Amino acid sequence: SQQGEEDPQALSIQEGENATMNCSYKTSINNLQWYRQNSGRGLVHLILIRSNEREKHSGRLRVTLDTSKKSSSLLITASRAADTASYFCAFYNFNKFYFGSGTKLNVKP
Amino acid sequence: NAGVTQTPKFRVLKTGQSMTLLCAQDMNHEYMYWYRQDPGMGLRLIHYSVGEGTTAKGEVPDGYNVSRLKKQNFLLGLESAAPSQTSVYFCASRPGATGGGLQPQHFGDGTRLSIL
């Protein structure tokens, strides 16, 4: 399987703290994307990083990509209770997207 | 401005029954995808389409068929449902204007399917 792996599987933090989740993959990629899924809903795109980029920012989100280690990380700074959701990485290869197993984030108010 | 709409939202089937899941998008997107999501796992690609009249197999295509007769619709069929197909099914679409998968996917809210 070309699916990615994410860790941790679950993360529980206090509001205001930072949350970091990691994604690893096995194949070469064109780009890597991060998605968020609220309970009972579909996935929503957060941020995309191309294979020739090392870091990207969007608001409170920071994504890094290390293609030599085939890994990426998503940092959410100053977390809020509304950030509680599952987060998935997805990488693109030949018309197909492969998703990681997800990190379930719980932000306690 | 509906985006991606999946029908039905919930369904319970008996083993051996057949059904069709409908995905409709109003964004004029070229690419459409069907995924399944099982507990503790990420999404796995079942089938996808790169344009009207085209379909292709994903990671887990066995037991499913698809059709894309109209650009805005992508149908997923289960000919003879099995308990292993109990899952949440998600449809997604994205533009096809540029290559490399740079456009994000837009997801529906899923169809929860139970097969007894």
Side-chain angles (χ1 to χ4, degrees):
Chain A
S1 170
Q2 295 193 51
Q3 281 204 303
E5 293 184 7
E6 290 185 58
D7 75 271
Q9 289 186 338
L11 181 60
S12 185
I13 59 175
Q14 292 293 138
E15 210 166 25
E17 294 181 337
N18 295 341
T20 299
M21 47 208 90
N22 306 293
C23 169
S24 62
Y25 56 92
K26 297 176 183 176
T27 66
S28 60
I29 62 170
N30 181 280
N31 67 73
L32 190 141
Q33 304 179 20
W34 285 89
Y35 288 80
R36 163 195 172 125
Q37 183 181 34
N38 287 83
S39 181
R41 302 298 301 272
L43 280 70
V44 176
H45 180 260
L46 295 175
I47 192 167
L48 177 150
I49 186 165
R50 301 186 189 212
S51 58
N52 61 356
E53 296 176 316
R54 292 296 170 258
E55 188 171 311
K56 200 161 183 182
H57 297 255
S58 177
R60 293 185 296 113
L61 304 179
R62 172 178 168 250
V63 171
T64 60
L65 178 64
D66 187 336
T67 53
S68 66
K69 294 181 179 178
K70 290 185 165 54
S71 67
S72 174
S73 66
L74 172 68
L75 169 67
I76 303 174
T77 60
S79 63
R80 305 166 181 168
D83 293 330
T84 293
S86 292
Y87 293 81
F88 295 89
C89 63
F91 53 93
Y92 178 81
N93 195 11
F94 295 113
N95 273 334
K96 300 173 188 175
F97 288 88
Y98 298 90
F99 283 81
S101 47
T103 293
K104 197 166 187 177
L105 174 66
N106 179 34
V107 182
K108 295 175 282 187
Chain B
N1 191 11
V4 178
T5 303
Q6 293 185 232
T7 311
K9 296 189 187 308
F10 305 93
R11 187 73 184 267
V12 178
L13 288 179
K14 293 182 180 178
T15 297
Q17 287 186 317
S18 63
M19 81 161 294
T20 300
L21 280 64
L22 170 64
C23 176
Q25 52 96 2
D26 61 2
M27 297 171 284
N28 201 34
H29 286 171
E30 291 292 332
Y31 291 69
M32 296 187 76
Y33 303 84
W34 274 108
Y35 295 92
R36 60 178 288 173
Q37 184 177 33
D38 300 301
M41 299 183 71
L43 277 69
R44 290 183 293 168
L45 182 64
I46 304 171
H47 286 281
Y48 66 101
S49 169
V50 301
E52 181 179 307
T54 75
T55 63
K57 293 180 180 180
E59 280 187 283
V60 288
D62 294 342
Y64 304 95
N65 57 73
V66 288
S67 65
R68 183 115 181 255
L69 299 180
K70 293 183 178 181
K71 186 177 184 179
Q72 62 268 35
N73 296 335
F74 195 28
L75 305 178
L76 177 70
L78 285 72
E79 290 184 347
S80 179
S84 61
Q85 294 177 305
T86 294
S87 189
V88 182
Y89 291 86
F90 287 97
C91 176
S93 71
R94 70 178 181 93
T98 59
L102 293 174
Q103 306 89 2
Q105 296 177 82
H106 299 254
F107 283 83
D109 279 337
T111 294
R112 283 141 187 86
L113 183 60
S114 291
I115 299 161
L116 307 177

